[in-house]
Amino acid sequence: MKKITIAIDGFSSCGKSTMAKQLARRIGYTYIDSGAMYRAVTLYCLRNGIIGADGSIDTVRLRGEMDGIDITFRTDSATGRPHTFLCGEDVEGEIRQMQVSEHVSPVSALPFVREALVRQQQRFGADKGVVMDGRDIGTTVFPDAELKVFVTADARTRARRRYDELRAKGVEADFDEILRNVEERDRIDQTREVSPLRRADDAVVLDNSQMSLEEQDKWLLDHYEKAVAKTYGRAD
Ligand code: DC
């Protein structure tokens, strides 16, 4: 099969991972959630006292331990969903919790963290056939990706989606706190020095504020087929 690389970037909680996962399943590609990798590093820091009670990060220690922070993905045989593993332990649930969300932006702003994870992401996608979502996939990780999508939705819509998602899992949630977290992460992600969140010049924009899941899945599949046709002459 003629494979391409698909980069899906955008703001937090705008449904990137849902659409990326769905497309990967549909076309038989590997899905990689790059945000989960930054979350796993953050969880490691929280568990090991690298992030202090005041939120400060012991960057000297983290730099020294970075090589030993092993992050892998495995498909859960019961659900068919990808799970994130930190040093061999399934941390998929824990990395989605609020405590990790609150600390992940400053961790992901550290240049040495980004360098290490970008290298690993490039290894994951070396053979193409990958759908990766994140903030800098089309700009930094795979600047030559054949399909780049930049997803956006207004902040309240995104906060509402995250709130509903947490409540559906039975997790206590406060809408205003989630909205503040969404806005704060937008700010940090867009203004950090290394690989800030921005649309790649050649990315297609998808504002899904008013779209159903079915509509966005169809939109993405159409763009995938066009990108394959443009790259190889026809979709197969
Ligand atoms: O997509 P997410 O919300 O799970 O991502 C968690 C955090 O990781 C987000 O605040 C920004 C950061 N991130 C990043 O800096 N670069 C990426 N490629 C993916 C995520």
Side-chain angles (χ1 to χ4, degrees), residues 113-173:
V113 170
R114 302 203 70 83
E115 277 159 30
L117 295 189
V118 166
R119 258 199 313 277
Q120 194 174 344
Q121 289 152 10
Q122 288 171 335
R123 277 200 299 275
F124 283 143
D127 297 328
K128 295 189 182 282
V130 73
V131 184
M132 192 174 291
D133 73 10
R135 303 294 189 286
D136 61 339
I137 311 305
T139 53
T140 305
V141 181
F142 299 125
D144 298 327
E146 291 85 355
L147 175 59
K148 298 180 186 178
V149 179
F150 189 83
V151 193
T152 166
D154 61 75
R156 290 192 79 83
T157 304
R158 290 183 283 130
R160 169 64 53 192
R161 287 178 186 160
R162 176 135 305 188
Y163 175 84
D164 291 344
E165 203 175 273
L166 290 171
R167 292 309 304 254
K169 285 184 193 154
V171 179
E172 273 299 309

Side-chain angles (χ1 to χ4, degrees), residues 37-49:
M37 299 171 73
Y38 291 95
R39 287 174 178 272
V41 172
T42 306
L43 179 63
Y44 177 93
C45 293
L46 287 165
R47 281 181 172 180
N48 292 283

Side-chain angles (χ1 to χ4, degrees), residues 11-128:
F11 292 96
S12 66
S13 306
C14 63
K16 296 185 300 289
S17 65
T18 307
M19 64 193 279
K21 248 182 260 176
Q22 173 63 21
L23 178 68
R25 201 176 311 136
R26 175 97 188 244
I27 64 177
Y29 276 26
T30 303
Y31 164 68
I32 303 285
D33 175 354
S34 69
M37 299 171 73
Y38 291 95
R39 287 174 178 272
V41 172
T42 306
L43 179 63
Y44 177 93
C45 293
L46 287 165
R47 281 181 172 180
N48 292 283
I50 292 176
I51 296 178
D54 60 353
S56 62
I57 305 168
D58 184 340
T59 51
V60 175
R61 248 190 82 194
L62 180 55
R63 189 192 289 271
E65 295 180 27
M66 203 59 216
D67 281 351
I69 306 179
D70 174 55
I71 302 164
T72 49
F73 293 98
R74 284 180 226 164
T75 305
D76 182 81
S77 54
T79 62
R81 287 167 196 256
H83 279 212
T84 311
F85 283 70
L86 173 62
C87 302
E89 178 194 343
D90 186 342
V91 292
E92 187 57 35
E94 224 175 318
I95 59 168
R96 309 290 164 194
Q97 289 179 356
M98 208 55 197
Q99 208 205 0
V100 172
S101 299
E102 274 165 6
H103 291 97
V104 64
S105 276
V107 171
S108 61
L110 296 170
F112 65 88
V113 170
R114 302 203 70 83
E115 277 159 30
L117 295 189
V118 166
R119 258 199 313 277
Q120 194 174 344
Q121 289 152 10
Q122 288 171 335
R123 277 200 299 275
F124 283 143
D127 297 328
K128 295 189 182 282

